[in-house]
Amino acid sequence: MTTSRLICRDVLPSWWPWAAHAWLLCAALTTLGCAGTESDPAAPAAPPNLGSTTAPLAPIMTGPDSAQGALGLWRLTGDPLTGTLALAPVPVRQTSGFTPGDSAIPDLTKLFTDPAGLCGDCMKLSGVGYDPLQQATWIDVRVTHPIPAGRPELTAFDLQLLLASDRGEQPVLTFPGAGRTVHPAHLLNADGYTDQLTASLEAALGVNLSVDLFPFINVAVDDDEGNFAGTNVNGFVNVAAPTGHNAFSSGESDTVRLYLDTTGTSQLDLVLALSGSFYRSYTTRGNNLFQKNSPVYFLPEGNRKEAWKVQADVVGSALRAGDAASSAVLQITIRDWQNGLTPQGSGWNPLEADPIVQDRAAIPESSDVQSVAVEIPGVLTAPQTLSVLLASGTGRTAASPLVYTGVTVHNTAGAVAGTYTGLVRVRDSRAPEIAGPGEGDVLFQDGVTFGGLSAFDTYALFTVEVADDYVFVGSDFTNVGNRIRRTGSTIAADPGFFNGVGGVVAYAGLRGDKAFVVSSGAGFSGNGKVQVYHLATGELLAEYAFTGGENPIDLAFLSSTEICVTGYNSHLVYRLNMDPAFTGDRLLATTNLAPYADPTFLARPMEIIRTAGGRVFVACNHLNASFTAAPAGLLLEINPATNAVVLDVDTTGLRNTTSVVEVPGGSHVVAFGPGTYSGDGGSGRLNLGSNIWTPDTVPPGLAWYEAAVTSTGRAFVSDPFVATVAHIGLPFGGTIDHQLDVLPPPAPPFPFITAVGLGRGDYLYATEFNDGILRVWDASAASAAVPPTVVATLSLPLGLDAIGVFE
């Protein structure tokens, strides 16, 4: 929509298409000039820039008339902290880049700022303030159609208010795959990003901008079909009061709120521009052609060809530093008026008077979402183009957006921990006609010049976190699992991230982008489960339910999908295929450990591990039925190729084993046990080369339950009954170097420290069952003389148990 159609409509070019589609620099209705309106070229202005500000405490400015500016190209400057903002029209400047025959962009600002002119207040600032929840400065901008109601032929569509900020010290994000650059997201509620007006903005402002992409927010959104239908003579039931299709009709106003990231400085300096689609809906020639007071609209052909809204949301991230198997999951939501419609091809005729012959909802050629590409420099080695994905909706109505779900990206570039910015590019199948007018699929740059548009693209930015580590922590009383994220020394919890976890969560293991969880059944009923959750989204992917009182306890990975699970009550080890795509019997084999128990005692398998060399060991309680007596503990080796027991270790000197760990370097495995839970526990080690067992000399009073070993060979062992974690060296010589979280055991319930685990970087995690506390230490520098350093104390749902770390 242009000024020449409003004021100088008699000078329309003779070639003007009846179905013109234009993207208008500066503002809808302001890009074509009339005789006598062009000004002398002005000197180039300094580049606009967006600074930031300290947050004001409350809204500063309210009311529709607090400040105003012209409907044109505007510069927004001032201090949001005090509310001293101003909108000033920017004279549109002629540059030297035009060839003979092209016209310069004229200066029309007087026309729209003079109260006696067409519209002296078509753009206003109507409010400024600070939103503490969004941590952003908000600015309300009111846009008014410059023509009073009653001009149905001057309706514009898909208006977008574009924010152009540019300053030398602003960081520039580069996306090599798309060949585009952008500043970090200043407009926090952007509906998308566009590169359509970049060249035109540079010509108008007289400066070279340092980036290609700028954010926009949609104006006058009315995003359903409204009162438009292809069987209506004019397209709209009432062309004087159109609804739907993001129509912006004469006499209409709309206010949009911009949320700006203004952290760090006190000055704003940016440029606002409007972009819109104009459909030439009438002609004054021919007997059967339509007049301007009774225009005919072909929509969605008159709407934007590209997607008018693109949102990219990170559903969940479990991207892990340096881990190519770790992943994040995105959801991409697109609105595109033409997507999926069948083109009418050569039969399309905008001059046909009869809607029965010519459907007003027809389009001449396809204009679908052709491709969606995701690019995350530093995380992805190359842009990832979506192929066959789960997509829903059409994209054409508010009730049916085009949604791509389950868009999974992996850390193929091995990114280190931190926050990364990604770009989504949505490309339309419609090919722009950059050589000149046709059906109007061009960038209508300055009223004469066509071109500068290589494709119909819309972009979206998103940020994704890469963490150093992820940890699973179960909560027995609430049937949930908690996800813990660590980035450096920053520990964050996602409480209840995994819902529907079986009762009494026993143990868990993390592998790739999945968390494998073993639960023993409510109240130790024995009818437990093995469940596989997506580590990024918390979605349950697979499940195996026990039904015969097995009371599963622990798991070890044989591969990324096959695991061994111990059955405490059944005295069996179960081999399961937990691949979410597997549809057969998940139970592949069992190994019976009962024959290895002493007479009148039970095997009771507990912890199971697979060593770096591929050997599988099971530690068993080996108690009587009443838990009051224990012979030497059971430590058994299972051959994973045959599922048979191949080694029964003589663990003389250690009673009732519960935990087994491998020493770094693979020379030994160490077993720990609480004895009969009366201070007669201890530890011992098995030489993996000679299979010789050596018991450790231990002080009395120990009931060691679960252990974890650092990369430097320091061990941390829980003693739940005295609420402490013992820090020892391996091999253990009888001296406990440090007691962590020592609490004298009061009357129950006392904290009851059960699970301990070590994540990447030797960060130690320990659960306090009865008070719901997870304590985290940095154990990377721990030694006999140096205790680990407490870095976090997190409060989570009660019943904390079952720490799972990457294996």
Side-chain angles (χ1 to χ4, degrees):
M1 188 179 303
T2 68
T3 301
S4 65
R5 297 183 201 117
L6 306 176
I7 299 176
C8 307
R9 50 187 174 267
D10 293 335
V11 298
L12 277 172
S14 60
W15 43 257
W16 183 257
W18 307 125
H21 190 98
W23 283 262
L24 311 179
L25 173 63
C26 310
L29 316 174
T30 65
T31 56
L32 278 185
C34 306
T37 63
E38 185 170 347
S39 67
D40 293 332
N49 65 79
L50 173 61
S52 23
T53 104
T54 307
L57 300 179
I60 300 298
M61 183 177 68
T62 58
D65 298 317
S66 299
Q68 69 179 48
L71 183 62
L73 183 65
W74 309 272
R75 193 161 188 166
L76 177 62
T77 57
D79 182 358
L81 184 63
T82 61
T84 54
L85 294 180
L87 266 182
V90 177
V92 183
R93 293 168 172 82
Q94 179 177 349
T95 67
S96 60
F98 295 104
T99 59
D102 289 337
S103 64
I105 301 175
D107 180 357
L108 298 179
T109 53
K110 288 185 178 180
L111 182 62
F112 296 102
T113 55
D114 185 350
L118 189 59
C119 186
D121 60 353
C122 285
M123 175 72 85
K124 288 185 177 181
L125 294 181
S126 57
V128 178
Y130 184 78
D131 187 326
L133 295 179
Q134 300 254 3
Q135 294 185 338
T137 298
W138 57 262
I139 299 175
D140 285 343
V141 180
R142 192 180 75 173
V143 180
T144 301
H145 198 295
I147 302 301
R151 294 292 300 272
E153 83 284 11
L154 297 178
T155 297
F157 302 93
D158 297 331
L159 252 64
Q160 294 176 346
L161 182 62
L162 180 143
L163 183 152
S165 63
D166 197 54
R167 192 177 63 192
E169 62 267 29
Q170 286 182 344
V172 174
L173 303 177
T174 301
F175 297 93
R180 293 292 178 264
T181 55
V182 65
H183 292 304
H186 294 302
L187 181 59
L188 301 182
N189 58 331
D191 288 324
Y193 285 71
T194 181
D195 58 0
Q196 289 185 349
L197 296 183
T198 306
S200 299
L201 282 169
E202 290 182 331
L205 297 170
V207 297
N208 292 321
L209 301 176
S210 61
V211 294
D212 308 304
L213 295 179
F214 296 104
F216 65 81
I217 187 170
N218 292 297
V219 179
V221 173
D222 187 1
D223 62 345
D224 234 318
E225 294 181 354
N227 61 10
F228 179 87
T231 57
N232 294 325
V233 173
N234 299 98
F236 286 107
V237 172
N238 183 352
V239 292
T243 61
H245 281 268
N246 289 344
F248 190 60
S249 56
S250 59
E252 187 176 352
S253 293
D254 185 45
T255 299
V256 293
R257 175 163 289 186
L258 310 178
Y259 285 98
L260 304 180
D261 180 2
T262 55
T263 306
T265 178
S266 61
Q267 289 298 311
L268 283 177
D269 188 358
L270 56 91
V271 167
L272 298 179
L274 272 177
S275 169
S277 176
F278 175 78
Y279 182 81
R280 178 62 187 272
S281 57
Y282 74 98
T283 180
T284 57
R285 301 176 183 178
N287 295 328
N288 296 319
L289 304 185
F290 303 97
Q291 307 303 306
K292 64 182 181 181
N293 59 348
S294 184
V296 172
Y297 285 98
F298 281 74
L299 300 180
E301 178 59 22
N303 287 101
R304 290 178 179 269
K305 300 300 186 292
E306 76 279 11
W308 58 270
K309 184 174 184 178
V310 176
Q311 297 291 123
D313 298 300
V314 179
V315 177
S317 174
L319 291 169
R320 189 167 175 254
D323 186 353
S326 64
S327 66
V329 178
L330 311 179
Q331 178 172 293
I332 300 171
T333 306
I334 302 170
R335 292 299 308 276
D336 187 323
W337 291 113
Q338 298 90 4
N339 182 67
L341 291 179
T342 302
Q344 195 165 339
S346 59
W348 187 77
N349 182 9
L351 305 183
E352 173 57 58
D354 189 348
I356 298 176
V357 177
Q358 180 63 72
D359 189 340
R360 306 308 187 219
I363 57 175
E365 54 185 296
S366 63
S367 181
D368 301 329
V369 173
Q370 181 185 63
S371 66
V372 179
V374 179
E375 185 175 359
I376 316 175
V379 175
L380 294 176
T381 54
Q384 180 174 314
T385 301
L386 308 191
S387 53
V388 180
L389 288 174
L390 179 61
S392 62
T394 66
R396 297 194 299 271
T397 66
S400 184
L402 181 63
V403 181
Y404 289 88
T405 58
V407 181
T408 301
V409 295
H410 292 88
N411 187 9
T412 56
V416 299
T419 301
Y420 294 79
T421 300
L423 179 75
V424 170
R425 185 196 70 193
V426 176
R427 173 158 289 179
D428 198 88
S429 63
R430 193 76 164 253
E433 301 171 18
I434 62 173
E439 298 300 340
D441 299 342
V442 294
L443 178 65
F444 188 49
Q445 189 176 33
D446 59 6
V448 174
T449 303
F450 288 82
L453 187 62
S454 60
F456 289 124
D457 292 334
T458 307
Y459 301 82
L461 290 180
F462 63 93
T463 58
V464 67
E465 178 189 21
V466 177
D468 280 309
D469 215 352
Y470 288 89
V471 177
F472 175 98
V473 179
S475 293
D476 287 355
F477 297 159
T478 54
N479 284 25
V480 299
N482 310 285
R483 192 181 72 162
I484 310 301
R485 295 170 284 128
R486 179 182 70 84
T487 304
S489 60
T490 301
I491 315 295
D494 302 314
F497 188 78
F498 307 98
N499 285 304
V501 176
V504 185
V505 186
Y507 288 98
L510 278 56
R511 174 66 67 91
D513 59 0
K514 298 177 181 63
F516 294 72
V517 184
V518 179
S519 56
S520 297
F524 293 98
S525 66
N527 297 332
K529 296 178 179 180
V530 176
Q531 296 167 301
V532 180
Y533 287 88
H534 200 298
L535 187 57
T537 65
E539 176 188 3
L540 179 62
L541 302 176
E543 181 176 279
Y544 179 81
F546 294 92
T547 58
E550 295 87 346
N551 197 4
I553 290 289
D554 191 27
L555 67 86
F557 289 99
L558 300 181
S559 70
S560 61
T561 56
E562 285 194 19
I563 59 174
C564 286
V565 177
T566 55
Y568 189 82
N569 289 348
S570 65
H571 318 295
L572 299 177
V573 172
Y574 303 87
R575 185 167 183 160
L576 301 175
N577 184 338
M578 295 307 298
D579 185 347
F582 183 65
T583 58
D585 186 354
R586 294 193 181 278
L587 179 59
L588 304 178
T590 59
T591 303
N592 187 7
L593 305 186
Y596 299 92
D598 288 4
T600 73
F601 291 91
L602 301 172
R604 299 188 186 277
M606 289 280 290
E607 193 164 289
I608 185 169
I609 66 166
R610 181 176 184 268
T611 69
R615 299 174 69 177
V616 177
F617 289 91
V618 185
C620 304
N621 266 176
H622 204 200
L623 294 162
N624 63 5
S626 61
F627 297 88
T628 58
L634 276 182
L635 182 63
L636 304 172
E637 181 183 359
I638 297 174
N639 186 330
T642 63
N643 303 305
V645 174
V646 293
L647 179 64
D648 180 1
V649 179
D650 179 4
T651 58
T652 299
L654 175 63
R655 306 164 69 189
N656 177 15
T657 55
T658 55
S659 180
V660 57
V661 294
E662 182 178 13
V663 174
S667 62
H668 294 77
V669 293
V670 180
F672 299 88
T676 57
Y677 303 98
S678 57
D680 55 350
S683 65
R685 56 193 182 277
L686 176 71
N687 186 303
L688 292 176
S690 64
N691 288 338
I692 295 176
W693 169 261
T694 304
D696 291 328
T697 300
V698 297
L702 299 181
W704 284 346
Y705 189 74
E706 187 174 337
V709 179
T710 71
S711 61
T712 59
R714 305 299 300 176
F716 295 88
V717 193
S718 68
D719 190 335
F721 300 97
V722 294
T724 186
V725 176
H727 175 206
I728 63 175
L730 296 177
F732 181 54
T735 300
I736 296 175
D737 297 316
H738 305 98
Q739 293 276 25
L740 309 182
D741 203 26
V742 179
L743 296 171
F750 50 87
F752 199 82
I753 295 177
T754 54
V756 293
L758 276 155
R760 174 185 290 180
D762 288 338
Y763 274 73
L764 172 68
Y765 302 82
T767 59
E768 296 179 6
F769 188 87
N770 286 333
D771 59 10
I773 297 296
L774 175 71
R775 299 189 191 273
V776 186
W777 292 265
D778 179 356
S780 60
S783 67
V786 179
T789 304
V790 176
V791 293
T793 301
L794 304 177
S795 180
L796 294 170
L798 295 181
L800 288 193
D801 202 355
I803 290 175
V805 295
F806 273 88
E807 299 187 25

